[in-house]
Amino acid sequence: MPFVSRSVDGAIDGLFKQPQEGRAEEFLPNGDPDVIAFEIAPLRVSSVSARQFRLMLRRAGLIDPAKAWVAQQDDETQDAFEYSGDFVKDSPKMLVGFAAMGFTSQQVDEFFTAASKL
């Protein structure tokens, strides 16, 4: 029987064997429909390797626009784009970059899911 954490919308976003103070204090039985739904839901991709990210940019025809946007950013952002080993979907600069390119949150999710398969 797990302790669960919930997102702002009330959906389960984590299962724990022990209570997590301030995060997961609600206890539900294993057979609870919300627990089962969480366990069988496909995993959400939160990061991809730099290779996967760049290949997906290229396949989507976005490598040049992405490089142009990065070139206009501060040195730290440029270094992160050039030298990061992985790209984290919910990082602040990533969110700003995708928004600048006109992506919705669903399109960002789809981009990372597709990239994770490369």
Side-chain angles (χ1 to χ4, degrees), residues 55-77:
L55 283 174
M56 192 63 218
L57 284 174
R58 189 167 303 285
R59 289 183 182 189
L62 297 171
I63 192 75
D64 291 333
K67 286 181 177 182
W69 181 82
V70 169
Q72 297 173 6
Q73 304 308 304
D74 61 39
D75 291 343
E76 285 187 10
T77 301

Side-chain angles (χ1 to χ4, degrees), residues 3-41:
F3 289 88
V4 301
S5 62
R6 294 187 182 268
S7 62
V8 175
D9 65 2
I12 292 176
D13 64 4
L15 300 178
F16 303 87
K17 290 184 180 184
Q18 301 295 323
Q20 308 295 309
E21 187 175 333
R23 175 162 181 192
E25 298 174 341
E26 178 184 1
F27 187 71
L28 294 176
N30 288 326
D32 183 277
D34 288 342
V35 171
I36 293 170
F38 178 80
E39 290 178 325
I40 64 172

Side-chain angles (χ1 to χ4, degrees), residues 45-98:
V45 177
S46 61
S47 67
V48 294
S49 71
R51 180 190 66 79
Q52 291 169 311
F53 187 81
R54 289 176 178 273
L55 283 174
M56 192 63 218
L57 284 174
R58 189 167 303 285
R59 289 183 182 189
L62 297 171
I63 192 75
D64 291 333
K67 286 181 177 182
W69 181 82
V70 169
Q72 297 173 6
Q73 304 308 304
D74 61 39
D75 291 343
E76 285 187 10
T77 301
Q78 292 177 31
D79 287 347
F81 183 77
E82 187 67 28
Y83 301 111
S84 289
D86 56 79
F87 286 80
V88 179
K89 179 174 64 177
D90 294 331
S91 69
K93 286 290 185 179
M94 187 68 63
L95 296 174
V96 169
F98 274 113

